[in-house]
Every structure is written in structure tokens, then in C-alpha cells.
Amino acid sequence: MKKIMTAAVLGLAITAAGAMAADGGALFKSKGCAACHQASVDTVGPSLKKIAQAYKGKEGDLVKFLKGEAKPIVDPAKFGIMKPQLNTTKAMSDDELKAMAEFMLSH
Ligand code: HEC
């Protein structure tokens, strides 16, 4: 009986840890961002490489952009296409946005 209880508690702890550490790459795909942003080639949107270059060392600014609190710096002329996507990112938690920003900057 004691063993079963321990296993149950451990299982819960592991599940909670998994939910806390947001996976930036998985979020980027599940939120539909990958439809317009490829790793290294520009498609509808600029490549992740280009975004990473523009925001190098500025993860905070990138999170601000995703919250709709900062102006675009990569390709402002095409911001009209990106703007509606901010409705998705604005609804995400700070942890999720941070994880996604880290994923983008890793390119
Ligand atoms: C319908 C196509 C499309 C989708 C979907 C899309 N984007 Fe974009 N994105 C663009 C375009 C076009 C630009 C270039 C305009 C600009 O720089 O704001 C852009 C620019 C960006 C930039 C650079 C911002 C800057 O400073 O210029 C970031 C960061 C970004 N997208 C993140 C995301 C994330 C995260 C998602 C998913 C929630 C996403 N995009 C979904 C088309 C898209």
C-alpha cells in the first residue's frame, strides 16, 4: 500500500514539472507560427534566423513584441500580416512567451 502511494505521489510531481516547463518549439508549432516562419528561409514571414539576428540579446524586447507592447523591427512593411497573430500570443502566459522567445532566439 505504501509503495502504491509513493508511486502515485511521484507520478503527480513529474506531471506537474512537465506542465510548468513550457516547450517553446512545441508551442511555436501548435500555435500555428510555423505556417509562416521557417527556420532559415523567408516564406510568408521572415525566417527564425532573421528574427534571432534582429533580437540577439534582446529576449525581453521579443516578448514585448509578442505582447503587442513594442513595434516590429524585422520587416515593419509586412506587419499587417503578423498583427492578427498577436491576438494568439497576447493570450499566452509569460512563461509560454518566454519559452517561445528562447526557441526563436536559438536559431
Ligand atoms: C500568416 C502568417 C504568419 C503567422 C501565422 C505568424 N507570423 Fe510572425 N510574421 C509574419 C510576417 C509577414 C512578419 C513580418 C512583419 C513583422 O516584422 O512584423 C512576421 C514577423 C514576426 C516577428 C518579428 C517581429 C518584428 O520585430 O518585426 C516575430 C517575432 C514573429 N513574427 C513571431 C510569430 C509567432 C510567435 C507566431 C505564432 C503565434 C507568428 N509569428 C505567426 C507572418 C506570420
Side-chain angles (χ1 to χ4, degrees):
M1 181 63 191
K2 200 171 173 210
K3 247 189 195 155
I4 294 169
M5 286 290 288
T6 313
V9 169
L10 266 178
L12 272 179
I14 291 166
T15 314
M20 261 157 59
D23 180 339
L27 282 169
F28 195 80
K29 284 200 194 91
S30 70
K31 299 291 175 187
C33 317
C36 295
H37 296 287
Q38 300 280 311
S40 50
V41 282
D42 296 341
T43 50
V44 180
S47 68
L48 289 174
K49 223 175 192 171
K50 208 175 249 179
I51 293 173
Q53 269 161 13
Y55 282 98
K56 197 168 181 230
K58 295 190 279 195
E59 188 188 302
D61 288 359
L62 182 46
V63 171
K64 261 194 191 153
F65 170 79
L66 296 175
K67 285 181 167 184
E69 293 167 0
K71 289 201 166 82
I73 59 169
V74 177
D75 194 353
K78 286 193 192 163
F79 180 57
I81 306 171
M82 180 57 206
K83 202 174 171 205
Q85 317 306 324
L86 296 182
N87 289 326
T88 304
T89 51
K90 276 185 207 164
M92 292 168 71
S93 73
D94 283 1
D95 281 352
E96 287 178 322
L97 290 180
K98 200 167 174 287
M100 216 161 59
E102 272 165 21
F103 166 74
M104 288 189 266
L105 290 176
S106 73
H107 286 79

